[in-house]
Amino acid sequence: SSLVSTLRSDPGRVNEPADVQIHPGGHTVYVNNRGEDAIAWFSIAPDGALHREGHVSLSASVHPGLAARSLAVSPRGDYLLVSDRPAGLVRSYGIVADGSLTPRGEFPVPGAAFVCIVPAATGTGEGAAV
């Protein structure tokens, strides 16, 4: 196995990868890069090798350690939530068949540092919890 950088290029400051999530289909890995201020995604080759495929930028942080963010991929693998603490937002992205992310929306949640997805009380759907 070989090491794979989570960065597309040198961000010019310390980068601290934080939350890592795997798509339920097992074909994509998502990484929160605190320093690059982005969510990067990687395809997983049949031999297990990772290949960086793209990223979405998040709000700039004062320092990587202050960029508390977490990710949550829906159980069906059709969307991803990220708590973007520096912006005071929770952002939603649609997940395309190839694993790439497309913006869906955002809503204000001041100081949000963690996000997860929990089953709805009826068990018939999904509910988001921040």
Side-chain angles (χ1 to χ4, degrees), residues 5 9 12 22 28 32 39 55-56 59 64-66 69 73 80 86 91 95 103-104 107 109 111 120 123 125-126:
S5 175
S9 62
I22 299 173
T28 307
N32 167 17
I39 303 301
H55 74 279
V56 290
S59 59
L66 300 176
R69 297 187 182 104
V73 177
L80 177 144
R91 298 178 188 274
I95 299 177
R104 289 174 85 184
F107 49 97
V109 182
E126 296 173 359

PDB file of all heavy atoms in Angstrom, residues 5 9 12 22 28 32 39 55-56 59 64-66 69 73 80 86 91 95 103-104 107 109 111 120 123 125-126:
ATOM      1  N   SER A   5      -2.028  11.581  -0.305  1.00  0.00           N
ATOM      2  CA  SER A   5      -2.310  12.858   0.348  1.00  0.00           C
ATOM      3  C   SER A   5      -3.797  13.162   0.246  1.00  0.00           C
ATOM      4  O   SER A   5      -4.439  12.871  -0.766  1.00  0.00           O
ATOM      5  CB  SER A   5      -1.507  13.979  -0.312  1.00  0.00           C
ATOM      6  OG  SER A   5      -1.876  15.235   0.244  1.00  0.00           O
ATOM      7  N   SER A   9      -3.235  20.278  -3.359  1.00  0.00           N
ATOM      8  CA  SER A   9      -1.970  21.012  -3.435  1.00  0.00           C
ATOM      9  C   SER A   9      -1.679  21.553  -2.039  1.00  0.00           C
ATOM     10  O   SER A   9      -2.505  21.450  -1.137  1.00  0.00           O
ATOM     11  CB  SER A   9      -2.059  22.160  -4.447  1.00  0.00           C
ATOM     12  OG  SER A   9      -3.044  23.094  -4.064  1.00  0.00           O
ATOM     13  N   GLY A  12      -0.609  26.043   1.984  1.00  0.00           N
ATOM     14  CA  GLY A  12       0.173  27.146   2.532  1.00  0.00           C
ATOM     15  C   GLY A  12       0.096  27.260   4.040  1.00  0.00           C
ATOM     16  O   GLY A  12       0.551  28.249   4.607  1.00  0.00           O
ATOM     17  N   ILE A  22     -17.132   6.761   4.820  1.00  0.00           N
ATOM     18  CA  ILE A  22     -17.165   5.909   3.640  1.00  0.00           C
ATOM     19  C   ILE A  22     -18.603   5.810   3.157  1.00  0.00           C
ATOM     20  O   ILE A  22     -19.529   5.591   3.953  1.00  0.00           O
ATOM     21  CB  ILE A  22     -16.613   4.512   3.944  1.00  0.00           C
ATOM     22  CG1 ILE A  22     -15.150   4.624   4.402  1.00  0.00           C
ATOM     23  CG2 ILE A  22     -16.727   3.591   2.728  1.00  0.00           C
ATOM     24  CD1 ILE A  22     -14.544   3.326   4.882  1.00  0.00           C
ATOM     25  N   THR A  28     -16.597   5.231  -2.350  1.00  0.00           N
ATOM     26  CA  THR A  28     -16.074   6.586  -2.172  1.00  0.00           C
ATOM     27  C   THR A  28     -15.769   6.840  -0.699  1.00  0.00           C
ATOM     28  O   THR A  28     -16.518   6.409   0.176  1.00  0.00           O
ATOM     29  CB  THR A  28     -17.095   7.633  -2.664  1.00  0.00           C
ATOM     30  OG1 THR A  28     -17.487   7.321  -4.008  1.00  0.00           O
ATOM     31  CG2 THR A  28     -16.511   9.038  -2.647  1.00  0.00           C
ATOM     32  N   ASN A  32     -12.710  15.434   5.624  1.00  0.00           N
ATOM     33  CA  ASN A  32     -12.746  16.845   5.987  1.00  0.00           C
ATOM     34  C   ASN A  32     -11.298  17.311   6.138  1.00  0.00           C
ATOM     35  O   ASN A  32     -10.594  16.867   7.034  1.00  0.00           O
ATOM     36  CB  ASN A  32     -13.506  17.008   7.305  1.00  0.00           C
ATOM     37  CG  ASN A  32     -13.322  18.373   7.928  1.00  0.00           C
ATOM     38  OD1 ASN A  32     -12.895  19.324   7.289  1.00  0.00           O
ATOM     39  ND2 ASN A  32     -13.633  18.469   9.197  1.00  0.00           N
ATOM     40  N   ILE A  39     -14.065  19.609   1.720  1.00  0.00           N
ATOM     41  CA  ILE A  39     -14.390  18.191   1.799  1.00  0.00           C
ATOM     42  C   ILE A  39     -13.878  17.587   0.504  1.00  0.00           C
ATOM     43  O   ILE A  39     -14.301  17.984  -0.587  1.00  0.00           O
ATOM     44  CB  ILE A  39     -15.907  17.937   1.925  1.00  0.00           C
ATOM     45  CG1 ILE A  39     -16.497  18.658   3.137  1.00  0.00           C
ATOM     46  CG2 ILE A  39     -16.194  16.437   1.961  1.00  0.00           C
ATOM     47  CD1 ILE A  39     -15.900  18.279   4.468  1.00  0.00           C
ATOM     48  N   HIS A  55     -13.358  17.972  -4.808  1.00  0.00           N
ATOM     49  CA  HIS A  55     -13.583  18.583  -3.499  1.00  0.00           C
ATOM     50  C   HIS A  55     -14.638  19.672  -3.611  1.00  0.00           C
ATOM     51  O   HIS A  55     -14.930  20.152  -4.706  1.00  0.00           O
ATOM     52  CB  HIS A  55     -12.289  19.187  -2.944  1.00  0.00           C
ATOM     53  CG  HIS A  55     -11.885  20.447  -3.623  1.00  0.00           C
ATOM     54  ND1 HIS A  55     -11.222  20.457  -4.823  1.00  0.00           N
ATOM     55  CD2 HIS A  55     -12.079  21.746  -3.289  1.00  0.00           C
ATOM     56  CE1 HIS A  55     -11.014  21.713  -5.205  1.00  0.00           C
ATOM     57  NE2 HIS A  55     -11.536  22.512  -4.281  1.00  0.00           N
ATOM     58  N   VAL A  56     -15.197  20.034  -2.477  1.00  0.00           N
ATOM     59  CA  VAL A  56     -16.039  21.223  -2.363  1.00  0.00           C
ATOM     60  C   VAL A  56     -15.396  22.090  -1.289  1.00  0.00           C
ATOM     61  O   VAL A  56     -14.945  21.578  -0.258  1.00  0.00           O
ATOM     62  CB  VAL A  56     -17.516  20.920  -2.008  1.00  0.00           C
ATOM     63  CG1 VAL A  56     -18.218  20.247  -3.168  1.00  0.00           C
ATOM     64  CG2 VAL A  56     -17.643  20.098  -0.752  1.00  0.00           C
ATOM     65  N   SER A  59     -16.107  27.242   4.252  1.00  0.00           N
ATOM     66  CA  SER A  59     -15.692  28.570   4.695  1.00  0.00           C
ATOM     67  C   SER A  59     -14.285  28.521   5.277  1.00  0.00           C
ATOM     68  O   SER A  59     -13.862  27.521   5.851  1.00  0.00           O
ATOM     69  CB  SER A  59     -16.678  29.125   5.717  1.00  0.00           C
ATOM     70  OG  SER A  59     -16.749  28.261   6.826  1.00  0.00           O
ATOM     71  N   PRO A  64      -6.695  25.695  11.499  1.00  0.00           N
ATOM     72  CA  PRO A  64      -7.303  24.374  11.313  1.00  0.00           C
ATOM     73  C   PRO A  64      -7.931  23.792  12.574  1.00  0.00           C
ATOM     74  O   PRO A  64      -8.972  23.145  12.517  1.00  0.00           O
ATOM     75  CB  PRO A  64      -6.135  23.514  10.833  1.00  0.00           C
ATOM     76  CG  PRO A  64      -5.217  24.479  10.161  1.00  0.00           C
ATOM     77  CD  PRO A  64      -5.339  25.757  10.967  1.00  0.00           C
ATOM     78  N   GLY A  65      -7.324  24.019  13.731  1.00  0.00           N
ATOM     79  CA  GLY A  65      -7.876  23.497  14.978  1.00  0.00           C
ATOM     80  C   GLY A  65      -9.196  24.122  15.369  1.00  0.00           C
ATOM     81  O   GLY A  65      -9.926  23.593  16.200  1.00  0.00           O
ATOM     82  N   LEU A  66      -9.531  25.272  14.772  1.00  0.00           N
ATOM     83  CA  LEU A  66     -10.795  25.955  15.067  1.00  0.00           C
ATOM     84  C   LEU A  66     -11.855  25.658  14.013  1.00  0.00           C
ATOM     85  O   LEU A  66     -12.941  26.204  14.066  1.00  0.00           O
ATOM     86  CB  LEU A  66     -10.571  27.470  15.152  1.00  0.00           C
ATOM     87  CG  LEU A  66      -9.575  27.924  16.229  1.00  0.00           C
ATOM     88  CD1 LEU A  66      -9.361  29.432  16.148  1.00  0.00           C
ATOM     89  CD2 LEU A  66     -10.059  27.522  17.605  1.00  0.00           C
ATOM     90  N   ARG A  69     -15.515  20.489  12.193  1.00  0.00           N
ATOM     91  CA  ARG A  69     -16.507  20.064  11.208  1.00  0.00           C
ATOM     92  C   ARG A  69     -16.686  18.562  11.333  1.00  0.00           C
ATOM     93  O   ARG A  69     -15.759  17.851  11.672  1.00  0.00           O
ATOM     94  CB  ARG A  69     -16.037  20.375   9.787  1.00  0.00           C
ATOM     95  CG  ARG A  69     -15.853  21.831   9.506  1.00  0.00           C
ATOM     96  CD  ARG A  69     -15.542  22.029   8.019  1.00  0.00           C
ATOM     97  NE  ARG A  69     -15.316  23.422   7.738  1.00  0.00           N
ATOM     98  CZ  ARG A  69     -14.116  23.950   7.539  1.00  0.00           C
ATOM     99  NH1 ARG A  69     -13.037  23.204   7.587  1.00  0.00           N
ATOM    100  NH2 ARG A  69     -13.997  25.235   7.291  1.00  0.00           N
ATOM    101  N   VAL A  73     -22.928  10.779   6.078  1.00  0.00           N
ATOM    102  CA  VAL A  73     -23.467  10.299   4.810  1.00  0.00           C
ATOM    103  C   VAL A  73     -24.768   9.566   5.121  1.00  0.00           C
ATOM    104  O   VAL A  73     -24.821   8.744   6.044  1.00  0.00           O
ATOM    105  CB  VAL A  73     -22.474   9.348   4.102  1.00  0.00           C
ATOM    106  CG1 VAL A  73     -23.062   8.801   2.814  1.00  0.00           C
ATOM    107  CG2 VAL A  73     -21.152  10.062   3.817  1.00  0.00           C
ATOM    108  N   LEU A  80     -25.009  14.059   1.792  1.00  0.00           N
ATOM    109  CA  LEU A  80     -24.009  14.224   2.842  1.00  0.00           C
ATOM    110  C   LEU A  80     -24.294  15.533   3.551  1.00  0.00           C
ATOM    111  O   LEU A  80     -24.612  16.534   2.904  1.00  0.00           O
ATOM    112  CB  LEU A  80     -22.605  14.243   2.216  1.00  0.00           C
ATOM    113  CG  LEU A  80     -21.421  14.479   3.146  1.00  0.00           C
ATOM    114  CD1 LEU A  80     -20.232  13.636   2.674  1.00  0.00           C
ATOM    115  CD2 LEU A  80     -21.006  15.928   3.183  1.00  0.00           C
ATOM    116  N   PRO A  86     -17.033  27.291  11.149  1.00  0.00           N
ATOM    117  CA  PRO A  86     -16.586  28.669  10.892  1.00  0.00           C
ATOM    118  C   PRO A  86     -17.663  29.548  10.244  1.00  0.00           C
ATOM    119  O   PRO A  86     -17.702  30.746  10.469  1.00  0.00           O
ATOM    120  CB  PRO A  86     -15.382  28.491   9.966  1.00  0.00           C
ATOM    121  CG  PRO A  86     -14.851  27.143  10.312  1.00  0.00           C
ATOM    122  CD  PRO A  86     -16.084  26.321  10.587  1.00  0.00           C
ATOM    123  N   ARG A  91     -24.335  22.346   6.025  1.00  0.00           N
ATOM    124  CA  ARG A  91     -24.470  22.310   4.564  1.00  0.00           C
ATOM    125  C   ARG A  91     -24.910  20.912   4.131  1.00  0.00           C
ATOM    126  O   ARG A  91     -24.510  19.917   4.720  1.00  0.00           O
ATOM    127  CB  ARG A  91     -23.145  22.660   3.901  1.00  0.00           C
ATOM    128  CG  ARG A  91     -22.658  24.065   4.244  1.00  0.00           C
ATOM    129  CD  ARG A  91     -21.298  24.339   3.584  1.00  0.00           C
ATOM    130  NE  ARG A  91     -20.718  25.584   4.031  1.00  0.00           N
ATOM    131  CZ  ARG A  91     -20.965  26.782   3.499  1.00  0.00           C
ATOM    132  NH1 ARG A  91     -21.800  26.878   2.488  1.00  0.00           N
ATOM    133  NH2 ARG A  91     -20.370  27.860   3.976  1.00  0.00           N
ATOM    134  N   ILE A  95     -25.245  13.437  -3.338  1.00  0.00           N
ATOM    135  CA  ILE A  95     -24.161  12.566  -3.779  1.00  0.00           C
ATOM    136  C   ILE A  95     -24.581  11.957  -5.112  1.00  0.00           C
ATOM    137  O   ILE A  95     -25.591  11.266  -5.204  1.00  0.00           O
ATOM    138  CB  ILE A  95     -23.868  11.468  -2.749  1.00  0.00           C
ATOM    139  CG1 ILE A  95     -23.428  12.091  -1.417  1.00  0.00           C
ATOM    140  CG2 ILE A  95     -22.798  10.508  -3.284  1.00  0.00           C
ATOM    141  CD1 ILE A  95     -23.191  11.089  -0.299  1.00  0.00           C
ATOM    142  N   PRO A 103     -23.952  20.885  -4.255  1.00  0.00           N
ATOM    143  CA  PRO A 103     -24.640  21.630  -3.203  1.00  0.00           C
ATOM    144  C   PRO A 103     -26.162  21.489  -3.310  1.00  0.00           C
ATOM    145  O   PRO A 103     -26.727  21.582  -4.397  1.00  0.00           O
ATOM    146  CB  PRO A 103     -24.220  23.076  -3.440  1.00  0.00           C
ATOM    147  CG  PRO A 103     -22.986  22.995  -4.271  1.00  0.00           C
ATOM    148  CD  PRO A 103     -23.117  21.746  -5.089  1.00  0.00           C
ATOM    149  N   ARG A 104     -26.820  21.267  -2.165  1.00  0.00           N
ATOM    150  CA  ARG A 104     -28.281  21.197  -2.115  1.00  0.00           C
ATOM    151  C   ARG A 104     -28.862  22.327  -1.299  1.00  0.00           C
ATOM    152  O   ARG A 104     -29.949  22.797  -1.585  1.00  0.00           O
ATOM    153  CB  ARG A 104     -28.733  19.862  -1.532  1.00  0.00           C
ATOM    154  CG  ARG A 104     -28.506  18.688  -2.459  1.00  0.00           C
ATOM    155  CD  ARG A 104     -28.823  17.393  -1.787  1.00  0.00           C
ATOM    156  NE  ARG A 104     -30.243  17.079  -1.889  1.00  0.00           N
ATOM    157  CZ  ARG A 104     -30.793  16.030  -1.303  1.00  0.00           C
ATOM    158  NH1 ARG A 104     -30.078  15.225  -0.556  1.00  0.00           N
ATOM    159  NH2 ARG A 104     -32.069  15.796  -1.438  1.00  0.00           N
ATOM    160  N   PHE A 107     -28.300  25.653   6.124  1.00  0.00           N
ATOM    161  CA  PHE A 107     -29.147  26.327   7.098  1.00  0.00           C
ATOM    162  C   PHE A 107     -28.295  26.737   8.286  1.00  0.00           C
ATOM    163  O   PHE A 107     -27.308  26.082   8.620  1.00  0.00           O
ATOM    164  CB  PHE A 107     -30.354  25.478   7.501  1.00  0.00           C
ATOM    165  CG  PHE A 107     -30.044  24.071   7.884  1.00  0.00           C
ATOM    166  CD1 PHE A 107     -29.902  23.713   9.216  1.00  0.00           C
ATOM    167  CD2 PHE A 107     -29.911  23.085   6.907  1.00  0.00           C
ATOM    168  CE1 PHE A 107     -29.631  22.409   9.570  1.00  0.00           C
ATOM    169  CE2 PHE A 107     -29.635  21.776   7.267  1.00  0.00           C
ATOM    170  CZ  PHE A 107     -29.495  21.444   8.591  1.00  0.00           C
ATOM    171  N   VAL A 109     -26.775  27.194  11.813  1.00  0.00           N
ATOM    172  CA  VAL A 109     -26.668  26.520  13.099  1.00  0.00           C
ATOM    173  C   VAL A 109     -25.389  27.060  13.743  1.00  0.00           C
ATOM    174  O   VAL A 109     -24.308  26.525  13.528  1.00  0.00           O
ATOM    175  CB  VAL A 109     -26.596  24.982  12.972  1.00  0.00           C
ATOM    176  CG1 VAL A 109     -26.525  24.334  14.339  1.00  0.00           C
ATOM    177  CG2 VAL A 109     -27.776  24.435  12.174  1.00  0.00           C
ATOM    178  N   GLY A 111     -22.226  27.681  15.721  1.00  0.00           N
ATOM    179  CA  GLY A 111     -21.357  26.853  16.545  1.00  0.00           C
ATOM    180  C   GLY A 111     -21.455  25.358  16.296  1.00  0.00           C
ATOM    181  O   GLY A 111     -20.869  24.577  17.045  1.00  0.00           O
ATOM    182  N   ALA A 120     -35.682   8.101  11.696  1.00  0.00           N
ATOM    183  CA  ALA A 120     -36.889   8.775  12.176  1.00  0.00           C
ATOM    184  C   ALA A 120     -37.582   7.884  13.200  1.00  0.00           C
ATOM    185  O   ALA A 120     -37.420   6.659  13.192  1.00  0.00           O
ATOM    186  CB  ALA A 120     -37.823   9.068  11.004  1.00  0.00           C
ATOM    187  N   GLY A 123     -39.348   4.877  11.938  1.00  0.00           N
ATOM    188  CA  GLY A 123     -38.564   3.869  11.245  1.00  0.00           C
ATOM    189  C   GLY A 123     -38.820   3.828   9.758  1.00  0.00           C
ATOM    190  O   GLY A 123     -38.366   2.933   9.067  1.00  0.00           O
ATOM    191  N   GLY A 125     -38.172   6.450   7.622  1.00  0.00           N
ATOM    192  CA  GLY A 125     -37.347   7.389   6.871  1.00  0.00           C
ATOM    193  C   GLY A 125     -36.110   7.765   7.650  1.00  0.00           C
ATOM    194  O   GLY A 125     -35.694   7.043   8.560  1.00  0.00           O
ATOM    195  N   GLU A 126     -35.551   8.887   7.292  1.00  0.00           N
ATOM    196  CA  GLU A 126     -34.359   9.371   7.964  1.00  0.00           C
ATOM    197  C   GLU A 126     -34.671  10.722   8.586  1.00  0.00           C
ATOM    198  O   GLU A 126     -35.524  11.440   8.116  1.00  0.00           O
ATOM    199  CB  GLU A 126     -33.213   9.560   6.970  1.00  0.00           C
ATOM    200  CG  GLU A 126     -32.768   8.282   6.323  1.00  0.00           C
ATOM    201  CD  GLU A 126     -31.759   8.515   5.225  1.00  0.00           C
ATOM    202  OE1 GLU A 126     -31.423   9.678   4.945  1.00  0.00           O
ATOM    203  OE2 GLU A 126     -31.311   7.539   4.640  1.00  0.00           O
TER     204      GLU A 126
END
